[in-house]
Amino acid sequence: MTRLTAIGIVVAAAVLTLGAGAPASAESDFGEHVSTCARTMGFNADHNPGMHQGRHSWDPSHTC
């Protein structure tokens, strides 16, 4: 569990850093999506925020 938490923190920091020029609503929508996925299904090697390459290529209609 500690490893997943550390990965989540690193990914969240990267997403926030890379998305600095994006509108606030898009960032918060992506952050909410990541948070919901983490709580409902967790992350693994096949499903994680990096699979979208951050908010850049994320489809807002995608559900967990």
Side-chain angles (χ1 to χ4, degrees), residues 9-20 27 30-31 34 49-50 53-55:
I9 290 169
V10 170
V11 169
V15 167
L16 291 175
T17 301
L18 294 174
E27 288 179 13
F30 180 69
V34 171
Q53 297 181 352
R55 188 195 56 79

Side-chain angles (χ1 to χ4, degrees), residues 15-40:
V15 167
L16 291 175
T17 301
L18 294 174
S25 63
E27 288 179 13
S28 63
D29 288 348
F30 180 69
E32 182 64 30
H33 171 76
V34 171
S35 177
T36 299
C37 286
R39 285 191 314 270
T40 60

